[in-house]
Amino acid sequence: MQHLKPLKTLALASACAALFAGAAFADPDLSAELVIDGELTLVTRAPSDDVITPNLPERYSGWLFRDPATRAMQMDDFENPAMIAVEAGAELWETADGTAGQSCADCHGDAAESMAGVRARMPHVNADGVLWSMEDYINNCRTERMGAEAWRWSGDEMTAMTSFISMQSRGMPVNVQIDGPAAPYWEQGREMYYTRYGQLELSCASCHEQSYGNMIRADHLSQGQINGFPTYRLKNAGMVSIHNRFRGCIRDTRAETFAEGSDEFRALELYVASRGNGLSVEGVAVRP
């Protein structure tokens, strides 16, 4: 099976140019401040650098690109629909499962302490030198320690747990490692980010670096930051994982995609996460 085979045709490149040529422009609202419940102020703008984002003047959270109603929804935990997943994750945290009869809390205690900063460092290279996403660590605990079945990557239980764990890092700066053992994975992810794929010959950079701020159909292109994932997408009426969003983006280029949890998507996740270094972990965001 061939994945994401690049198509180099003049006709398709012209079609892509025509698509963006007809797009309207709508700047992100750089005057907006993301303050949760009037108490916790999150960083939505961070300096760029010459290593990770040399082509961006500044790093912007996707929250800045949303309409006022969607922004307000995320600022109020009572109104934020993603908090339902967080509450479900909190319940799962305390629930014993598997042959060991243990819960997450039995080993890790209070998540507010043991999980603080975890989301900000994900994905991360494990003790065996393999890059793992948060979902990998969760399923490893379930299968190796709890004697429980692994959860589906973007299943309700998994997105609930990743939402709950992400909330423990809300407000902390994204700070993923890109050097040392993480370097080859980061390089692989960067290559994927700039490679044009599919019938539409689009790369991640085509939309989220070269064309952010454009309106294409009803979608306002952001820089594609993932500091707000898992995210509640209003169009889906549910939580969306990072790899699920990757699949959706690639599908839109009319290319054959990788599977959620694949080595390729882990590498891409690391690179895209690094592009948001310095932005606050938003816990659970709301997007159209």
Side-chain angles (χ1 to χ4, degrees):
M1 180 182 293
Q2 292 181 327
H3 290 281
L4 298 176
K5 183 178 180 180
L7 300 179
K8 305 298 182 182
T9 66
L10 180 60
L12 291 175
S14 298
C16 291
L19 175 65
F20 285 110
F25 191 81
D27 285 318
D29 186 353
L30 300 184
S31 66
E33 291 189 353
L34 176 49
V35 184
I36 307 296
D37 292 338
E39 298 178 353
L40 178 62
T41 300
L42 304 187
V43 175
T44 57
R45 302 171 60 181
S48 187
D49 62 48
D50 294 333
V51 176
I52 303 174
T53 52
N55 301 318
L56 293 181
E58 194 172 13
R59 294 167 177 163
Y60 300 141
S61 163
W63 182 83
L64 294 172
F65 293 82
R66 307 283 63 93
D67 62 84
T70 304
R71 293 203 305 264
M73 194 179 300
Q74 187 175 329
M75 293 172 69
D76 186 338
D77 279 349
F78 185 77
E79 297 292 337
N80 186 342
M83 294 305 294
I84 297 175
V86 174
E87 292 173 1
E91 183 174 348
L92 287 169
W93 182 265
E94 301 287 344
T95 301
D97 195 7
T99 57
Q102 290 188 320
S103 68
C104 301
D106 288 331
C107 287
H108 298 288
D110 184 358
E113 296 181 2
S114 62
M115 296 294 112
V118 169
R119 175 67 178 85
R121 301 189 297 271
M122 288 290 150
H124 185 73
V125 176
N126 68 15
D128 295 324
V130 179
L131 182 68
W132 272 7
S133 299
M134 186 187 296
E135 290 86 346
D136 292 299
Y137 284 97
I138 292 171
N139 271 339
N140 183 69
C141 277
R142 287 186 57 77
T143 59
E144 300 302 316
R145 299 181 183 181
M146 299 171 69
E149 293 184 1
W151 283 331
R152 186 166 57 87
W153 194 274
S154 292
D156 291 342
E157 296 91 347
M158 182 64 84
T159 54
M161 184 60 75
T162 55
S163 296
F164 174 68
I165 293 175
S166 294
M167 280 293 291
Q168 313 315 312
S169 299
R170 185 162 71 173
M172 297 181 179
V174 176
N175 185 26
V176 296
Q177 183 181 6
I178 67 171
D179 57 2
Y185 298 106
W186 186 81
E187 292 288 354
Q188 179 186 0
R190 180 172 64 173
E191 182 178 359
M192 289 181 64
Y193 192 88
Y194 286 101
T195 299
R196 293 179 179 271
Y197 295 118
Q199 291 181 329
L200 294 182
E201 266 204 339
L202 293 174
S203 67
C204 304
S206 298
C207 289
H208 298 299
E209 185 171 279
Q210 300 166 14
S211 303
Y212 69 86
N214 281 324
M215 294 291 294
I216 297 181
R217 299 184 181 93
D219 194 13
H220 188 184
L221 290 174
S222 70
Q223 289 183 347
Q225 302 290 1
I226 58 175
N227 57 306
F229 277 78
T231 288
Y232 187 94
R233 293 205 74 195
L234 298 172
K235 67 178 290 186
N236 297 86
M239 301 303 296
V240 175
S241 72
I242 295 169
H243 289 198
N244 181 276
R245 185 59 245 153
F246 286 168
R247 286 187 65 218
C249 283
I250 292 172
R251 178 198 61 224
D252 291 344
T253 72
R254 300 176 188 172
E256 187 176 357
T257 186
F258 298 107
E260 296 175 5
S262 63
D263 292 341
E264 292 83 1
F265 271 174
R266 289 188 188 95
L268 182 60
E269 180 185 351
L270 176 62
Y271 177 70
V272 175
S274 76
R275 291 175 66 86
N277 275 356
L279 296 175
S280 289
V281 173
E282 294 178 12
V284 280
V286 183
R287 299 291 185 259

